[in-house]
Amino acid sequence: MLAILDMLFVGFAVGLTGALVPGPMLFATIEGSLKKGWRAGPEVVLGHALIELLICILIVLGLTSLIGDTEMSVISFVGGLVLVGFGLLTIIQSRNTSIDSGLSGGVLANPVSAGILTSASNPYFWVWWLAAGSALVLKGLEIGIFAAVMFVVGHWLADLGWFTFVSTSLSKTRSFFSGPIYKGVLTCCGLFLMGFGTWFALG
């Protein structure tokens, strides 16, 4: 029982360290929060968790061991280009939107789809899960399936707690974001996504 609780704690601690690092998910949450309020955080995490659930199933089935350096290079390049595209789309849309209208259309308009797409296209996400994440899930499986599940649950709780905090905080200060500030925030989010994507695509 103690080992199972340890896996829950490890999952939470590891998940929190990852969640606190600024990345595409954070900027998708910021963008969604300014339109949908506090619900954007949990919805982004839901999309993120769906991708992670699929990866965990693949880890259990042993399929992730088939991915080598060549495949990771392709993932990094393609994923980086997709993030650059997301960033460019966000910048373009920010010019003709307001905090009242939000981003009407586009793949990042829905927080759940934003969580899925910013996770799936983030090369760092795949690198982490194919290395550290898979090792920790397999470590949990050595104890038992429930221990592995507790690791993943702890990981999700960390994501849910942090991104809900971010979206709730932003939703309470929406009135501060006038038109120019709102467009500036979206432009910064877009520039970050483009920079992050370029770094991975060319790295």
Side-chain angles (χ1 to χ4, degrees), residues 121-145:
S121 61
N122 182 357
Y124 176 79
F125 172 83
W126 292 99
V127 170
W128 189 90
W129 269 105
L130 293 173
S134 60
L136 289 167
V137 170
L138 293 174
K139 181 66 176 178
L141 286 174
E142 292 178 2
I143 302 171
I145 185 66

Side-chain angles (χ1 to χ4, degrees), residues 87-184:
L88 183 60
L89 180 64
T90 299
I91 292 173
I92 292 173
Q93 290 182 326
S94 71
R95 297 178 180 179
N96 301 308
T97 190
S98 68
I99 197 166
D100 295 319
S101 63
L103 292 180
S104 56
V107 291
L108 298 184
N110 180 279
V112 176
S113 64
I116 293 173
L117 293 168
T118 54
S119 298
S121 61
N122 182 357
Y124 176 79
F125 172 83
W126 292 99
V127 170
W128 189 90
W129 269 105
L130 293 173
S134 60
L136 289 167
V137 170
L138 293 174
K139 181 66 176 178
L141 286 174
E142 292 178 2
I143 302 171
I145 185 66
F146 193 59
V149 170
M150 285 297 98
F151 167 77
V152 178
V153 169
H155 185 85
W156 288 342
L157 286 175
D159 287 339
L160 181 63
W162 171 245
F163 288 106
T164 300
F165 169 76
V166 170
S167 62
T168 300
S169 299
L170 284 172
S171 68
K172 291 183 180 297
T173 58
R174 281 180 83 249
S175 59
F176 170 75
F177 292 91
S178 62
I181 295 177
Y182 178 59
K183 293 178 181 180

Side-chain angles (χ1 to χ4, degrees), residues 11-23 25-26 48 122 124 128 155 158-159 162-163:
F12 183 85
V14 170
L16 189 59
T17 57
L20 290 174
V21 177
M25 251 183 81
L26 174 62
H48 176 72
N122 182 357
Y124 176 79
W128 189 90
H155 185 85
D159 287 339
W162 171 245
F163 288 106

Side-chain angles (χ1 to χ4, degrees), residues 35-47:
K35 175 60 181 175
K36 299 195 67 174
W38 73 270
R39 292 176 300 171
E43 289 180 13
V44 169
V45 172
L46 173 60

